[in-house]
Every structure is written in structure tokens, then in C-alpha cells.
Amino acid sequence: SVKITDFRVGIQDLKAFFSELKNTNITSLELRKCFNSDNWIENLAINLKSTKLNFLNLSFNQIGDQGALILAQHLRGTNINSIDLSLNQISSLAAFRLAENLVGSELREINLSDNQIDDEDLGSLGAKLKETKVYSIDLSRNRIQTTGALSFLKNHQGGNLTYLKFDENQIEYNPSIILELASIIPNSQLLKLSVMNQFPNRLPLNQNMIIPT
């Protein structure tokens, strides 16, 4: 496992690092708060297939939509099954395009918390994830409202997700929403739907599916 945090890494440094990494058995790489633009990401992405990495943490690197798409295009054919893209600048459209490129990849877990994801294209994201192997996604602390969350869940019915986090978004609590959730969840594979800090009281649903504060 390699962890580098809050240290500016240049493109030449990155190339040299990956030339060595491909000769190792390292499976976990964290480059957190190491970059401040998308310029570096292609140099990282094109080298992923030559490594044994199965976990990649690129949080807090100011990755925007372009960077997210470049990365997504190179995930297929790698060993990576878990990726952390939290604390970046990824929009809903880029999240959807990311999911499009995950079809056929080995990715199982993705963290997209603390980005710029709102209701736009959220239903399409839920539908596209059905075509992937992803079973866990964290969408906490974005700009998601009730309509977007419900659209995501409705479009993902029959999908592979077993763990979904909507913590600290802008999701309302009222009886009609509880009824909608109650009608959607039995048609999904979800074992846990987390909407912490939104529902102050325990919902009248299976507590393994929804665990509010």
C-alpha cells in the first residue's frame, strides 16, 4: 500500500513512479490532495493497466468533468475494483459518463461524495449503473434533492447496488416520500440505504435497508 497526502506530484514524478510501480505487487494507491488540475490524470490513467492495483484513492485533487472522463476511459481492463473520487468537482453528467465507461470493468465500489452532483442526469446514472458490476456507491454531501434521489432509485430497480449513501444532501422528510421509498426498495437489491441527517426519526421500514440518524 502506498499513501501520499498533501504533496504536489509533478507529471515527470508520476511517470517515474508508475515505471517502478508496475514491477511491484502493490495493490492499493492513495494520491490524496496531490494535484490541482486535470493535466496529470491522463498520465496516471494510461499506466493503470500495467499495475496490480485494485484500490485507487484520488480524493481532494480538484478532478473536474474532463479528468473524470479520461480516468473512466482507462478503467476497463484494469484490476481496480474500488475507487475514491470524493472531494473533487465532478458533475452529474460526468458521473453518468463515468458509469457508461464502467460497463465491462471490474469496478465494484465508487465514492463520489463531496462533488457537484445534482438532480440532473441522476436518473440516467441509476439506470446506467444497472449495466455495471458496481454494488456500492457513496453520493453523500452533493446537491441531490428528493426528486433526484427518487429518480435514481426508480431507474436502478433490478440493479446490483446493495449499498447506497445519500447522506447530508437536500432530501426532504415527509410521509409521501416514505411511501415511495417503501414501494421502490423491495424491487431492488439494496441492503442498506443511508440518508443520515435527513430523516431525524427511524423510518417504518426494514432497518437493514434504511438507517437514519
Side-chain angles (χ1 to χ4, degrees):
S1 176
V2 175
K3 297 182 181 181
I4 302 174
T5 301
D6 205 6
F7 182 84
R8 293 302 174 198
V9 178
I11 291 177
Q12 293 305 316
D13 296 329
L14 197 62
K15 289 179 179 179
F17 174 77
F18 270 94
S19 69
E20 296 296 327
L21 185 65
K22 65 183 180 182
N23 298 318
T24 73
N25 292 317
I26 292 172
T27 59
S28 176
L29 174 62
E30 299 187 32
L31 295 172
R32 191 174 188 274
K33 206 174 181 180
C34 292
F35 310 97
N36 57 12
S37 73
D38 284 343
N39 296 335
W40 56 276
I41 202 160
E42 186 167 11
N43 288 281
L44 177 145
I46 60 177
N47 284 291
L48 292 175
K49 289 181 182 178
S50 63
T51 73
K52 295 183 173 70
L53 294 176
N54 54 43
F55 173 69
L56 182 62
N57 183 342
L58 297 176
S59 60
F60 218 145
N61 281 309
Q62 298 186 40
I63 298 173
D65 288 1
Q66 182 180 0
L69 295 179
I70 291 172
L71 179 63
Q73 289 165 3
H74 289 86
L75 285 176
R76 195 177 300 151
T78 71
N79 297 310
I80 294 172
N81 55 47
S82 179
I83 191 167
D84 187 343
L85 294 173
S86 62
L87 293 158
N88 282 297
Q89 300 169 6
I90 299 169
S91 72
S92 296
L93 178 59
F96 170 67
R97 298 299 183 198
L98 176 65
E100 282 187 317
N101 283 278
L102 295 182
V103 177
S105 80
E106 293 303 311
L107 200 70
R108 303 295 204 278
E109 301 175 297
I110 184 167
N111 186 347
L112 286 170
S113 62
D114 298 282
N115 274 281
Q116 298 176 5
I117 298 169
D118 56 23
D119 288 358
E120 186 177 359
D121 296 305
L122 205 58
S124 299
L125 174 61
K128 183 54 64 174
L129 284 173
K130 291 172 66 172
E131 302 174 31
T132 73
K133 297 179 181 179
V134 174
Y135 64 76
S136 174
I137 187 167
D138 189 344
L139 294 169
S140 302
R141 293 176 298 282
N142 277 283
R143 302 170 182 175
I144 299 167
Q145 299 185 26
T146 307
T147 300
L150 290 173
S151 178
F152 180 97
L153 286 165
K154 288 176 181 176
N155 283 283
H156 191 73
Q157 290 181 92
N160 297 317
L161 283 181
T162 58
Y163 184 67
L164 171 61
K165 292 186 73 175
F166 279 133
D167 294 350
E168 299 180 57
N169 277 289
Q170 301 169 33
I171 300 171
E172 302 172 26
Y173 168 56
N174 62 56
S176 65
I177 292 171
I178 294 175
L179 290 174
E180 284 201 67
L181 287 172
S183 67
I184 294 170
I185 291 175
N187 298 317
S188 73
Q189 300 297 318
L190 281 175
L191 299 177
K192 183 177 181 182
L193 168 61
S194 181
V195 197
M196 302 287 280
N197 297 329
Q198 299 295 329
F199 296 156
N201 302 307
R202 186 169 297 282
L203 298 177
L205 297 172
N206 186 320
Q207 61 181 0
N208 290 323
M209 294 181 180
I210 297 184
I211 306 178
T213 53

